[in-house]
Amino acid sequence: MRRLPRTPAQVASGLLALALASAVTLLASVQPAAAHGTLAMSTPAAGATVKAPLTSVQLYFTEKVAANAHFTITAPGGSRVDNGWTYGEPKTLNQPVREYSLVNGQFEPREYTTGFPAVIALAHLPAAGQYSVSYLSVASDGDPVRGTMTFRYSGRATAAPQGWQPPTNQPDPALLAAIEQHRAPGQASAVPTTAAESATAPAAAPPVASSDDGPTAMVWVGWAAAAVAALGALVVWRRRSTSRARPTGRSRTSPATSARRRPGGRSGAKPAAGKTGAARGASAPTAGGKRRRPNAVPAARKGNAPAVARTGGAADMALTRTAVDVVSPDREATVPASADDDSPAALAPSAAASDVDAIAPAPGSRLGNTHLALLVGGLVLALLAGFGLARIGATDQRPATSDARQPAGGSPASGPAVSAGDGHQHAPGIGPHTHPGDGSTGETLATGTTVSANGYTLQPLERSQPAGVRADYRFRIVGTDRQPATRFAVVHDKPLHMIVVGRDLTGYQHLHPTMSPDGTWSVPLTLARPGGYRVYADFSVTATDGRQIPLVLGVDHTVPGAHTPVALPAAQTQATAGPYAVSMNGTPVTGVTVPMQFQVKNAGTTTPAQLERYLGAYGHLVVVREGDLGYVHVHPEQELVDGAVQFWLTAPSPGRYRAFFDFQVGGKVHTADYTINLP
């Protein structure tokens, strides 16, 4: 039996039901961040200026830090001035902190009003300027808690205790092991191994991970508006369709049309079961001897004038069984088709069904469908709008401190952000912490060891070149759709930064390729010595939903010939770059975000060099780990800090590293390089 066309109401109901199911699925998949043991406040406050000498710094967390937590305080000159720490007396927080706990598979909020302090002793204050306090611990739920806060000291210098030496201790190995064990499944290790690489895109790229908790509030508002518009359009369309298709109840069918409605489709054919059609206006007997009102079905239309044909015989009953609603010949109201006619003729297929153009819904049916559509649409709108408003409320206010590894943008006075740069946004008062496996850098502190990440793949078009020959190096960034990505965000004045380093950590180059319309990047490259090299693409791709995804992808490149590795130079804090002497000040600590400062002076003098902005900042720092060539993100402060270029370094593991510091003076870029040893 041929199916009748779906009415607009049926289509609307189906679409709205699908939208409701999708909304519920999306909302269920968006979970609040589980945060525990976060930094809530400090004394002195983050970004404050202190005039009187201090003997300690208090950091107040929402729970007691681990007994083997690690704290450092770095003075303006880069030396550590912390002298151990102890627990303090709990204190009421200036502002409550909301955190979330996973209970029986559901995230439940909890508000904290008490801070549990860690008191870090200050050995002395060697100079006025910015002091940085860094911490590393593990919360009760196993999440690592890592961050930095800063304050400025403008008072007089104080002397160090007799015989005191700046500490050089690293975090407890058990603390680092606990952080490593809590790493999310599938997340890269702190010391990742180099993945097997291919010149082509992988057969199945991993899905793109988001760097935030979910769609922004504006996205949800847009979805809500779209749902309302779609609902209104469907209701209007259905009303117009109904008004055009409603029959008048006065038109009669032609003989030809009536003939087509009989079984067999021939004029003059007898009705099934030997019965004749009932007289117009009379009741037709049913198979069970009951009598019912005559039904009518629409006849074939000519132009825009619908016609209604009365039925009476069993052949016509078959038509009424296929119709959802049929129009009565006496009035425009509808009468449902009989459900008690079980005669063979009534069950026989009818060719006349193919002649039906549309079935006009009854006013009562239309009212019910409209109400159903409005109900479902209202539910969808309420869910989306409520979630959007909740996200707006959650992000209107931010913690007093910001990301410790955030690119330049904050003033030195306010200090860096206190979280580890995972891109999370939290409710007011939530302090810094990390979230492994949330789709951002998180605990993957060393990048560039793989050719693919977050659904994007570095696809080189050349894998080798002769020594000493200038050749174009070409590559593409292929997305999950296996097509070259062409939308990149400009970061530090360029859409993509390409770093080249030899496997022995020599031959450093910082280049800026250009992209053709088809997504192919190219840049002239000269490699003087034979051997293996690592090529890094450092960029932020713009996803289809507008999100910016920062990535560092790496691939091997080879220069054929006999290779003689160069021994890594000994660790030092002084380097020469052209006519300039550059000093590196700071004490790197495994897993802890600490400041590293670079002072540039004219060689042989104490006169500071007149630094110029290069790629939007006063300097750029690339740190590469020996062995797997892990690439460490290091971001600069936007302005000079106490006359130095300051970066925030989080060393991912013990080992040896090579640091390359780029700066510009007189329109020329220079590079100073250093070896860093972490026991």
Side-chain angles (χ1 to χ4, degrees):
M1 185 177 296
R2 178 167 177 172
R3 292 180 178 271
L4 291 175
R6 290 184 178 272
T7 64
Q10 291 174 309
V11 176
S13 300
L15 290 176
L16 288 173
L18 177 61
L20 177 61
S22 301
V24 171
T25 301
L26 287 173
L27 293 177
S29 64
V30 179
Q31 300 171 340
H36 298 276
T38 55
L39 179 65
M41 68 179 188
S42 63
T43 304
T49 298
V50 179
K51 298 179 180 179
L54 295 173
T55 58
S56 66
V57 173
Q58 294 84 40
L59 302 182
Y60 292 87
F61 298 86
T62 56
E63 66 180 22
K64 291 180 65 174
V65 296
N68 59 350
H70 189 85
F71 299 91
T72 66
I73 301 180
T74 304
S79 61
R80 286 176 56 179
V81 292
D82 52 280
N83 194 21
W85 71 276
T86 59
Y87 290 113
E89 291 297 324
K91 178 180 178 181
T92 301
L93 297 175
N94 296 335
Q95 182 178 2
V97 173
R98 176 174 296 177
E99 297 181 353
Y100 291 87
S101 299
L102 186 62
V103 179
N104 297 327
Q106 298 292 329
F107 282 96
E108 296 183 358
R110 178 182 176 184
E111 196 167 83
Y112 293 82
T113 58
T114 301
F116 299 87
V119 182
I120 305 101
L122 263 169
H124 69 123
L125 298 165
Q130 186 183 89
Y131 285 74
S132 305
V133 184
S134 301
Y135 56 89
L136 178 67
S137 182
V138 175
S140 60
D141 64 348
D143 272 345
V145 180
R146 173 192 290 113
T148 298
M149 60 82 63
T150 64
F151 66 91
R152 297 194 69 84
Y153 176 65
S154 60
R156 61 179 179 83
T158 60
Q162 186 173 3
W164 182 83
Q165 295 292 328
T168 59
N169 63 308
Q170 297 290 314
D172 183 357
L175 175 63
L176 298 177
I179 294 174
E180 180 71 18
Q181 290 174 359
H182 187 68
R183 206 173 299 277
Q187 188 177 356
S189 169
V191 188
T193 57
T194 304
E197 297 158 350
S198 172
T200 59
V208 179
S210 174
S211 57
D212 53 23
D213 287 336
T216 62
M218 291 304 297
V219 174
W220 285 107
V221 171
W223 274 107
V228 173
L231 175 62
L234 287 169
V235 171
V236 171
W237 172 47
R238 183 173 184 277
R239 287 182 176 177
R240 290 181 178 177
S241 300
T242 302
S243 63
R244 288 196 303 266
R246 182 176 298 164
T248 63
R250 299 175 183 175
S251 178
R252 302 180 185 236
T253 57
S254 64
T257 303
S258 298
R260 287 198 306 269
R261 293 183 184 278
R262 294 173 182 165
R266 296 189 303 273
S267 179
K270 293 183 179 181
K275 295 185 181 287
T276 60
R280 292 185 179 91
S283 298
T286 65
K290 299 180 181 179
R291 304 185 69 83
R292 57 186 176 90
R293 299 182 58 180
N295 296 324
V297 295
R301 294 187 295 177
K302 294 183 179 180
N304 293 325
V308 177
R310 299 185 184 183
T311 64
D316 292 317
M317 293 180 194
L319 290 175
T320 64
R321 294 179 60 83
T322 63
V324 177
D325 293 319
V326 292
V327 180
S328 169
D330 299 301
R331 52 198 175 105
E332 293 188 51
T334 60
V335 180
S338 173
D340 58 355
D341 189 356
D342 296 327
S343 65
L347 297 174
S350 174
S354 62
D355 296 331
V356 179
D357 290 337
I359 300 299
S365 175
R366 178 183 65 195
L367 184 62
N369 285 333
T370 301
H371 283 179
L372 175 61
L374 290 175
L375 176 61
V376 176
L379 289 174
V380 174
L381 177 61
L383 285 170
L384 297 179
F387 183 75
L389 291 174
R391 286 191 59 78
I392 292 175
T395 56
D396 276 346
Q397 296 178 345
R398 304 282 180 87
T401 50
S402 57
D403 182 0
R405 295 188 296 152
Q406 179 180 352
S411 64
S414 63
V418 286
S419 72
D422 58 0
H424 253 60
Q425 300 295 330
H426 295 285
I430 289 183
H433 59 284
T434 60
H435 288 274
D438 63 357
S440 60
T441 54
E443 287 300 290
T444 310
L445 303 178
T447 56
T449 58
T450 59
V451 72
S452 297
N454 281 14
Y456 292 88
T457 299
L458 173 57
Q459 185 183 82
L461 301 184
E462 291 86 19
R463 301 302 297 266
S464 66
Q465 68 184 79
V469 175
R470 181 183 175 92
D472 282 342
Y473 183 80
R474 300 178 302 152
F475 62 94
R476 300 187 185 98
I477 305 298
V478 180
T480 54
D481 56 359
R482 304 179 66 85
Q483 298 299 317
T486 56
R487 300 175 60 197
F488 294 83
V490 175
V491 179
H492 291 305
D493 293 348
K494 297 292 181 181
L496 188 145
H497 301 260
M498 187 176 116
I499 308 298
V500 182
V501 180
R503 297 206 69 87
D504 57 1
L505 300 183
T506 63
Y508 166 85
Q509 297 185 53
H510 184 165
L511 307 173
H512 299 105
T514 57
M515 186 185 73
S516 62
D518 67 351
T520 300
W521 295 86
S522 63
V523 63
L525 176 63
T526 303
L527 299 173
R529 301 172 55 245
Y533 293 82
R534 190 71 175 175
V535 176
Y536 304 95
D538 188 339
F539 60 92
S540 289
V541 68
T542 303
T544 54
D545 58 2
R547 292 180 298 112
Q548 292 186 8
I549 305 174
L551 293 170
V552 177
L553 304 178
V555 68
D556 284 339
H557 192 67
T558 304
V559 175
H563 172 61
T564 303
V566 175
L568 200 63
Q572 75 268 324
T573 60
Q574 301 293 324
T576 300
Y580 304 101
V582 186
S583 60
M584 178 181 68
N585 302 311
T587 306
V589 179
T590 302
V592 179
T593 303
V594 297
M596 301 293 294
Q597 294 183 341
F598 293 83
Q599 293 272 2
V600 182
K601 298 180 180 179
N602 295 305
T605 71
T606 58
T607 306
Q610 297 298 314
L611 295 177
E612 301 169 347
R613 290 189 182 274
Y614 167 57
L615 300 175
Y618 283 111
H620 297 272
L621 182 64
V622 171
V623 179
V624 181
R625 181 170 52 197
E626 184 182 34
D628 69 341
L629 303 185
Y631 180 103
V632 182
H633 264 300
V634 190
H635 297 301
E637 292 283 355
Q638 182 67 17
E639 304 296 335
L640 298 176
V641 177
D642 300 323
V645 184
Q646 180 166 286
F647 300 86
W648 296 93
L649 173 65
T650 309
S653 66
R656 291 201 299 177
Y657 297 80
R658 194 69 173 163
F660 304 93
F661 170 58
D662 296 329
F663 64 95
Q664 180 173 297
V665 178
K668 185 177 180 180
V669 177
H670 303 271
T671 301
D673 48 349
Y674 307 83
T675 298
I676 298 175
N677 286 336
L678 283 178

